[in-house]
Amino acid sequence: MSDVPIPSPARPGAPTAKVLAVTSGKGGVGKTFVSANLAAALARRGHRVLVLDADLGLANLDVVLNLHPKTTLHDVFTGKASLQSAIITAPGGFSVLLAGSGMVEYSRLTPEVRTEFLQVLQSIIPRYDVVLLDTGAGISDVVLFAVSLASEVLLVATPEPTSLTDAYAAIKVLATQQKRQQIRMIINQTVRAGDGRAITGQLQQVLDRFVVPELGRPVRLSHLGDIPGDPAVRDAVMRRQLLLSSLPGSPAALAVSQLANKIEEAIIRRP
Ligand SMILES: Nc1ncnc2c1ncn2[C@@H]1O[C@H](COP(=O)(O)OP(=O)(O)OP(=O)(O)O)[C@@H](O)[C@H]1O
Ligand SMILES: [Mg+2]
């Protein structure tokens, strides 16, 4: 871990970062694992990537990456530290902006949190190609606000019925309140190939039947990819290492690399 300067601002008129929110209905489905490893895979492809720990009340990106930041978003928000000093380099070659756990005062969406968050994001965007927002789970106002700042939503769900019910609730809110026309699905901890595509299709059917008629416009769930359930993930988390570095040939690591390819093709390279 080391303090590094923020990359220089992009040339005037040059494209700024694509902001992708990694979110979920239910907690513990793999958002932080996906954010960290996806960031490493995209950094490996030459993109300037920053992961912002947007789970302000219960951040744990630092735990997954084994980082011990001297300054966090909390210090930036309270004016105790500069944004630059809070951005650190993670082992996977990408930048992170950590929230620090227990920021209880930030678990509610106050006007201050809104303003600070927005300012931080605006300063970061011109300096990166991709910004991943690792959000909390659910449909609280803090989570929805973080998601509202992203141009793309990556919704992580597992095949369990509880996760799917919560994913559907989150999709419904994002489609109605945020007028999202497209939500990209990542189905994690799958058992069989094809599970994720089938699940996405089923959620789309329910959405088309119950939500789309009320909205009067289509909402598209696109299946971005699956990540199989893989004991290597837990091993990497226990060792506090990136799966992509510690076990790059494991099925879950290969699936994350494929996801990165798809994101590059479908999102990053698109104007
Ligand atoms: N593909 C997988 N195979 C096996 N285990 C997995 C997989 N993905 C995630 N896990 C397990 O699930 C745990 C929770 O993952 P993670 O912390 O990324 O979830 P989260 O959605 O960020 O949780 P929270 O909602 O609390 O932020 C991991 O520590 C890991 O043990
Ligand atoms: Mg998390």
Side-chain angles (χ1 to χ4, degrees):
M1 179 186 85
S2 61
D3 289 359
V4 287
I6 304 176
S8 12
R11 293 183 312 283
T16 57
K18 295 271 163 59
V19 182
L20 281 56
V22 180
T23 193
S24 70
K26 189 174 182 292
V29 294
K31 294 176 297 296
T32 300
F33 159 70
V34 168
S35 301
N37 285 278
L38 202 50
L42 291 169
R44 207 171 276 178
R45 284 162 177 74
H47 301 292
R48 298 168 304 169
V49 185
L50 180 137
V51 185
L52 193 157
D53 198 339
D55 193 354
L56 296 183
L58 285 169
N60 54 17
L61 185 63
D62 51 337
V63 181
V64 170
L65 294 168
N66 202 15
L67 295 170
H68 308 276
K70 286 194 285 286
T71 42
T72 63
L73 261 181
H74 177 260
D75 304 305
V76 180
F77 280 12
T78 51
K80 287 197 196 111
S82 66
L83 175 59
Q84 177 143 340
S85 66
I87 295 181
I88 54 181
T89 305
F94 55 93
S95 300
V96 283
L97 194 41
L98 299 165
S101 203
M103 286 171 63
V104 185
E105 61 271 45
Y106 298 112
S107 52
R108 278 186 320 115
L109 186 65
T110 59
E112 291 76 34
V113 170
R114 249 172 203 279
T115 312
E116 295 292 344
F117 207 114
L118 207 56
Q119 276 177 1
V120 162
L121 197 64
Q122 276 165 352
S123 316
I124 290 167
I125 283 175
R127 300 159 195 268
Y128 290 89
D129 301 314
V130 183
V131 172
L132 292 171
L133 305 178
D134 177 18
T135 79
I139 49 176
S140 71
D141 53 3
V142 178
V143 172
L144 291 175
F145 176 67
V147 176
S148 76
L149 303 174
S151 56
E152 300 280 344
V153 181
L154 314 186
L155 196 122
V156 183
T158 69
E160 285 182 6
T162 43
S163 159
L164 296 179
T165 309
D166 293 355
Y168 178 69
I171 291 165
K172 219 167 119 179
V173 172
L174 293 171
T176 45
Q177 285 187 14
Q178 296 193 4
K179 303 190 172 42
R180 295 273 169 188
Q181 292 175 354
Q182 184 179 34
I183 293 167
R184 299 180 193 266
M185 303 295 297
I186 297 175
I187 310 299
N188 188 21
Q189 307 209 34
T190 53
V191 178
R192 286 168 301 268
D195 275 357
R197 198 167 283 285
I199 286 168
T200 304
Q202 285 159 12
L203 285 170
Q204 179 80 63
Q205 276 183 7
V206 186
L207 201 62
D208 286 346
R209 183 148 172 226
F210 297 106
V211 179
V212 169
E214 251 177 62
L215 283 177
R217 55 183 158 75
V219 181
R220 186 163 159 247
L221 300 182
S222 44
H223 176 247
L224 199 58
D226 289 359
I227 304 171
D230 182 349
V233 176
R234 198 169 169 274
D235 290 353
V237 173
M238 292 305 283
R239 280 189 270 160
R240 303 177 72 183
Q241 287 176 347
L242 283 169
L243 182 67
L244 251 67
S245 316
S246 59
L247 291 160
S250 60
L254 296 174
V256 172
S257 298
Q258 272 183 18
L259 266 181
N261 287 343
K262 206 136 174 225
I263 288 173
E264 214 175 23
E265 195 182 291
I267 302 173
I268 302 175
R269 293 219 183 104
R270 291 276 160 89

